[in-house]
Amino acid sequence: MLRPNKLAKQNFLSSLDLSTKEIIHILELAKNFKNKDLNIDFKNKVLGLIFDKSSTRTRVSFQVAMSRLGGTTIDLNPTTSQIGRGEPIQDTARVLSRYCDVLAIRTFNQSVLEEYAKWSSKPVVNALTDLEHPCQALADFMTMKEEFIDFENIVLTFIGDGNNVANSLILCGALLGVEVRIACPAGFEPSSVVIKKARKIYDNDHMLKICNDPASAVIGANVIYTDVWSSMGEENQKEDKDKEFQGFTVDNNLINMATRDVIIMHCLPAYRSKEITNEVIESKKSRIFEQAENRMHVQQALLSCLLS
Ligand code: CP
Ligand code: NVA
C-alpha cells in the first residue's frame, strides 16, 4: 500500500510545483483513497479555505477530503473576516498559518496567491486563480488515466477559451507527456508564458499545438475538453465573447470527427448550449461527473502529502 510522501516543494501554486514523479504518486494515492485501500489519520489538522470567488466543487471537495483524513476545515469567508476589509496579506497569512496547517486559496491574480505563500509558514494551495487551476488538472489527468491507463497515447484537445483551466492542462500535460491541442478563437490563446514553459518540458515541438480550428484539432483526439467562454471576473465581457466563440461549441458534429473511444470532459460549472450541448454533457462519452468526483480523491491525496 502506498504511503504519502512529503512533497519536495511545500506550496502548490502551479502545476509546475510538482515533478512528474510527484504527480504520478498523487494519482496513485488518489486511486487508493478512491478504492478505500488507504486510511490515514490527520486528526487535529486544519485546512483554511480563503475564497475570493464562488465555488461549489472545489470548496466542498476540499472540505470532504479533509474530513475523510480526520481533520477539519475552516471556511474563511472574506466578507465576514477582516480579509474583505483589506487587512494586508502579509498580516493575514502570518496569523492564519499559526492556526491552520494548510491554506487553500481561490483568488483573481496569481500574485495574490504568491503573496500569501511568501508570508505563510504553512503550505498554500491554488484553489483557482485567473492564471491556473492546478487541482482541477490533477483530477482531470486522474480521470484520463482511469480511462486510458497510459498517458503516452492520449491526445487531449481543449476547445474554447485559453483560460486558467487550459493553462494548467497544458503544464500538467507537458509533465505527463500527453499531446495537448488547444483550439480557440484568435486573441484568446492560453498564456504565452505557460506555452513557453510547456515547450521547454516537452522534448518534441509537435506535442503542443495551438490553433483556431476546432474541426482539425479533434481529429485523432481521445479527449475533448471544454470550459466556459467567460471565466469568473469576466462577466462584463460575456456578450462580446459569446459572439467571438461562435463555432466553438462542443457538439455531436465535432465529437463524430474524433476517435471512436473519445471521452468528453468539462470542469463545470457549464453553460449548456454555449460551450457544450446538453446532449453531449448527458452522452455516454461524458466523463464530466467522474471528473468532478475525482477532485475529492486527488485533493485528499495532495493534502495527505502536504500534511505528512
Ligand atoms: N471546477 C471547479 O473548480 O468548480 P467550482 O467553481 O464549483 O469550485
Ligand atoms: N475558467 C473557469 C473555471 C471555473 C471552475 C473560471 O475561472 O471561472
Side-chain angles (χ1 to χ4, degrees):
M1 187 197 289
L2 273 178
R3 305 292 304 169
N5 289 346
K6 198 156 184 64
L7 292 178
K9 287 183 196 162
Q10 283 287 305
N11 296 315
F12 186 46
L13 310 183
S14 161
S15 291
L16 292 188
D17 283 341
L18 296 178
S19 65
T20 305
K21 249 173 107 175
E22 285 168 335
I23 296 175
I24 300 287
H25 180 71
I26 287 173
L27 299 189
E28 280 298 308
L29 275 180
K31 186 168 110 184
N32 283 314
F33 279 124
K34 188 170 183 174
N35 296 339
K36 304 210 174 357
D37 289 340
L38 192 54
N39 201 357
I40 299 173
D41 200 1
F42 285 107
K43 198 173 154 221
N44 298 332
K45 297 283 185 186
V46 178
L47 164 69
L49 297 174
I50 303 171
F51 279 50
D52 291 333
K53 295 176 177 176
S54 306
S55 170
T56 298
R57 280 142 287 268
T58 308
R59 188 196 304 278
V60 179
S61 58
F62 262 119
Q63 285 171 329
V64 178
M66 197 60 190
S67 126
R68 288 185 174 203
L69 289 171
T72 52
T73 315
I74 303 180
D75 197 347
L76 294 148
N77 183 338
T79 56
T80 51
S81 66
Q82 304 288 13
I83 297 169
R85 169 185 170 274
E87 183 171 7
I89 292 171
Q90 66 190 78
D91 298 349
T92 307
R94 278 183 291 182
V95 172
L96 291 180
S97 58
R98 283 170 185 245
Y99 304 147
C100 300
D101 300 286
V102 53
L103 297 172
I105 301 172
R106 169 170 286 200
T107 191
F108 293 85
N109 208 311
Q110 184 80 7
S111 64
V112 170
L113 188 74
E114 283 162 5
E115 181 74 359
Y116 270 104
K118 180 177 163 191
W119 293 102
S120 170
S121 56
K122 301 289 166 49
V124 171
V125 174
N126 183 345
L128 180 148
T129 60
D130 292 346
L131 185 65
E132 277 204 55
H133 198 2
C135 293
Q136 179 70 53
L138 287 179
D140 299 341
F141 284 102
M142 176 179 178
T143 311
M144 289 180 232
K145 197 170 195 303
E146 286 176 337
E147 194 73 30
F148 300 110
I149 321 284
D150 291 322
F151 288 124
E152 295 80 64
N153 302 322
I154 300 177
V155 175
L156 160 63
T157 298
F158 180 96
I159 310 277
D161 190 28
N163 60 14
N164 42 12
V165 170
N167 287 336
S168 286
L169 286 172
I170 289 173
L171 292 174
C172 203
L175 288 169
L176 293 170
V178 172
E179 179 177 336
V180 178
R181 302 174 187 168
I182 309 286
C184 54
F188 296 94
E189 287 80 10
S191 149
S192 55
V193 176
V194 163
I195 294 174
K196 214 163 142 192
K197 285 181 182 172
R199 290 207 194 281
K200 266 196 181 162
I201 299 168
Y202 284 122
D203 49 18
N204 178 342
D205 268 0
H206 301 295
M207 293 294 277
L208 175 61
K209 294 190 187 82
I210 316 289
C211 73
N212 309 121
D213 177 26
S216 66
V218 297
I219 293 170
N222 308 101
V223 182
I224 297 179
Y225 194 126
T226 189
D227 182 19
V228 290
W229 293 337
S230 300
S231 287
M232 289 179 276
E234 295 185 333
E235 288 75 13
N236 59 355
Q237 297 173 40
K238 227 173 208 163
E239 220 174 297
D240 291 342
K241 284 185 104 174
D242 282 355
K243 285 182 201 141
E244 297 271 8
F245 282 74
Q246 288 310 307
F248 285 79
T249 302
V250 173
D251 57 16
N252 273 337
N253 271 346
L254 207 57
I255 285 163
N256 290 337
M257 293 181 220
T259 56
R260 255 169 38 127
D261 65 350
V262 69
I263 61 166
I264 310 304
M265 300 182 72
H266 190 309
C267 58
L268 297 178
Y271 284 104
R272 289 172 187 236
S273 81
K274 278 197 181 178
E275 74 273 6
I276 190 165
T277 60
N278 190 50
E279 204 178 7
V280 171
I281 293 191
E282 299 298 342
S283 76
K284 284 209 171 82
K285 293 181 181 297
S286 165
R287 296 293 177 276
I288 292 171
F289 296 98
E290 285 77 2
Q291 211 185 329
E293 176 184 336
N294 286 338
R295 293 293 306 277
M296 178 174 65
H297 304 303
V298 283
Q299 284 157 208
Q300 192 175 353
L302 176 71
L303 288 169
S304 70
C305 293
L306 294 173
L307 292 168
S308 286

